[in-house]
Amino acid sequence: MLRRVALLTNFIPPYRLPLYKAIADRVPDFQVFISTPMEANRSWSPNWDGLNVTVQKNLTLQRSWKHPHGFSENLYVHIPYDTLWSLRQYRPDVVISGEMGMRTAQALLYRKLNPNSRMILWATVSEYSELGRGKLREKLRQVLVPQADALLVNGQSGARYVRQFGVSDPSIFFAPYTTNIDPFLAVPLSRGPLDAYRLLYVGQLVERKGIEPFLSTLERWAKAHPDRTLEFWLVGEGPLRSRLEQQVWPSNLRLRFLGNVEYGKLPEVYAQGGIFAFPTLADEWGLVTNEAMAAGLPVLGSSYSQSVEELVVEGETGWQFRPDEPEEMYSALERSLSMSVAQLEQMRTKARDRIQYLTPDFVADNILKAIESVC
């Protein structure tokens, strides 16, 4: 009989809390082990109210990573070195391990030392997010991934990625990124003629998010349409902000930097946007797509985001493009800004309808199916 489930992860972002609580509602004894209360480059305050959480002994390394799509990024690599000891103290029936490194290696060792236990690997990856990760990491995954009793993936791109390691479909379960979308669903769908075309971006202002090539496309569009004014609001902070603020843009392209916004106040910001822009160069999911669609914003998004690939239907809930293809990105922007106010109104309704199923309860049920399958 299932008694205890341990979740091993880096930290608990605010959008994950509703899902973890939904899992706790379904499991008699659920314990979350985190490597750090919060990563240094995050603006959120640690909050795991209502969960049983243990902060592990952990070594954090920083390294720079160059992605084939042209951006560089500083990464935090967490090595929670007391994982095996913590698991032996807690003695879970099922271990759900995030990432595919030393944390999972220790979880698998616990699995071997306790033959009645099971290990589920939560692979929050996509084909694009994992490009250029290096031969050593690939070889480690070739060893670790096939040993998992089941795998959780975000979507079809994640499933395609783990299949290369010999994983069969019956052991793959889908657990897309989700959050409590009720506050976003409460945002009024109606927009005024000016608000309907206002572009909104929410996220870190870093190279990976593709803001600079997207702004080059906006600049080109603004020069080609001098009779129209285009507003682009950006929520978030990052090293690109100061450079973008100092740059001179066409007079009919107006940028507004809102800085970091408390997570609970984001629905108020989405309510003022008309079209959500998500030009990322690589994202394992992109929860902002969920939030935007729930708030009624069609998404002008990069197909290198798994959420865009899964949720955005061309001309119905948004428009897709590859951000490293300038003409393709410009064409998608042109299509979005050529829509009538009435057409955008219809798309807002379709965007909201498309996302309503993707709740913490829905994903928690899928995770419970994975747990039951290995037990």
Side-chain angles (χ1 to χ4, degrees), residues 138-347:
E138 183 179 345
K139 289 185 179 299
L140 179 61
R141 293 176 178 184
Q142 288 173 349
V143 174
L144 297 180
V145 175
Q147 296 187 63
D149 296 294
L151 286 98
L152 298 171
V153 297
N154 296 332
Q156 293 297 333
S157 181
R160 291 192 294 268
Y161 178 80
V162 298
R163 286 191 191 107
Q164 68 178 302
F165 300 110
V167 177
S168 61
D169 284 356
S171 63
I172 298 175
F173 295 82
F174 291 93
Y177 272 56
T178 183
T179 191
N180 177 20
I181 58 174
D182 289 343
F184 301 94
L185 293 173
V187 170
L189 282 176
S190 61
R191 300 289 193 278
L194 296 178
D195 297 344
Y197 297 99
R198 179 180 295 128
L199 297 174
L200 174 68
Y201 167 83
V202 177
Q204 293 177 305
L205 301 182
V206 294
E207 287 184 1
R208 177 170 59 87
K209 296 298 185 177
I211 297 297
E212 289 182 298
F214 184 68
L215 275 169
S216 296
T217 302
L218 293 187
E219 182 178 26
R220 176 183 165 192
W221 188 92
K223 290 178 178 178
H225 299 79
D227 56 324
R228 291 186 63 180
T229 296
L230 182 60
E231 291 188 21
F232 185 28
W233 290 14
L234 298 97
V235 175
E237 290 287 354
L240 295 183
R241 176 170 177 172
S242 59
R243 184 160 77 235
L244 297 178
E245 284 183 311
Q246 293 170 14
Q247 194 165 337
V248 177
W249 304 101
S251 59
N252 61 331
L253 174 58
R254 299 175 182 174
L255 273 60
R256 182 180 176 186
F257 294 87
L258 282 74
N260 285 325
V261 173
E262 184 181 333
Y263 190 75
K265 295 182 178 179
L266 278 180
E268 300 173 19
V269 178
Y270 280 103
Q272 300 177 73
I275 296 171
F276 190 79
F278 191 37
T280 182
L281 295 168
D283 248 284
E284 63 192 38
W285 180 257
L287 187 66
V288 288
T289 300
N290 305 44
E291 298 166 352
M293 292 175 66
L297 278 71
V299 175
L300 175 63
S302 162
S303 56
Y304 296 154
S305 157
Q306 200 165 185
S307 63
V308 171
E309 179 186 343
E310 296 275 328
L311 301 171
V312 174
V313 179
E314 179 68 32
E316 293 187 16
T317 60
W319 310 265
Q320 291 194 32
F321 60 86
R322 288 174 295 176
D324 53 350
E325 295 289 342
E327 293 304 318
E328 193 172 307
M329 182 157 51
Y330 186 88
S331 176
L333 176 65
E334 182 73 48
R335 293 196 303 276
S336 69
L337 297 177
S338 297
M339 304 291 284
S340 69
V341 172
Q343 288 173 317
L344 290 174
E345 185 88 20
Q346 294 175 350
M347 293 185 73

Side-chain angles (χ1 to χ4, degrees), residues 4-157:
R4 293 178 177 173
V5 174
L7 171 64
L8 312 178
T9 189
N10 287 331
F11 61 95
I12 302 177
Y15 57 79
R16 280 294 201 196
L17 189 59
L19 173 59
Y20 294 165
K21 287 184 175 180
I23 298 172
D25 289 341
R26 289 158 171 77
V27 174
D29 191 341
F30 181 59
Q31 180 83 18
V32 183
F33 295 84
I34 59 175
S35 299
T36 180
M38 189 59 61
E39 288 185 336
N41 64 341
R42 308 288 181 170
S43 61
W44 305 310
S45 298
N47 175 24
W48 47 78
D49 183 48
L51 291 177
N52 295 320
V53 175
T54 297
V55 181
Q56 295 188 247
K57 296 178 180 178
N58 175 65
L59 175 65
T60 297
L61 306 176
Q62 282 187 268
R63 71 179 186 89
S64 182
W65 170 49
K66 181 74 172 179
H67 192 278
H69 285 171
F71 64 86
S72 296
E73 189 172 34
N74 291 322
L75 300 178
Y76 290 95
V77 179
H78 300 292
I79 305 174
Y81 52 86
D82 67 341
T83 298
L84 179 59
W85 183 89
S86 297
L87 292 176
R88 297 196 72 174
Q89 292 293 310
Y90 180 56
R91 301 194 65 81
D93 303 293
V94 177
V95 179
I96 303 174
S97 179
E99 310 296 334
M100 292 176 277
M102 293 305 297
R103 176 189 296 113
T104 296
Q106 293 177 77
L108 282 170
L109 180 56
Y110 171 82
R111 164 81 170 85
K112 292 183 181 300
L113 295 173
N114 298 268
N116 291 329
S117 68
R118 297 292 181 266
M119 202 283 284
I120 298 174
L121 177 58
W122 200 337
T124 53
V125 297
S126 75
E127 296 157 294
Y128 303 113
S129 71
E130 300 313 293
L131 290 174
R133 289 291 189 178
K135 293 294 184 182
L136 181 60
R137 183 167 294 195
E138 183 179 345
K139 289 185 179 299
L140 179 61
R141 293 176 178 184
Q142 288 173 349
V143 174
L144 297 180
V145 175
Q147 296 187 63
D149 296 294
L151 286 98
L152 298 171
V153 297
N154 296 332
Q156 293 297 333
S157 181

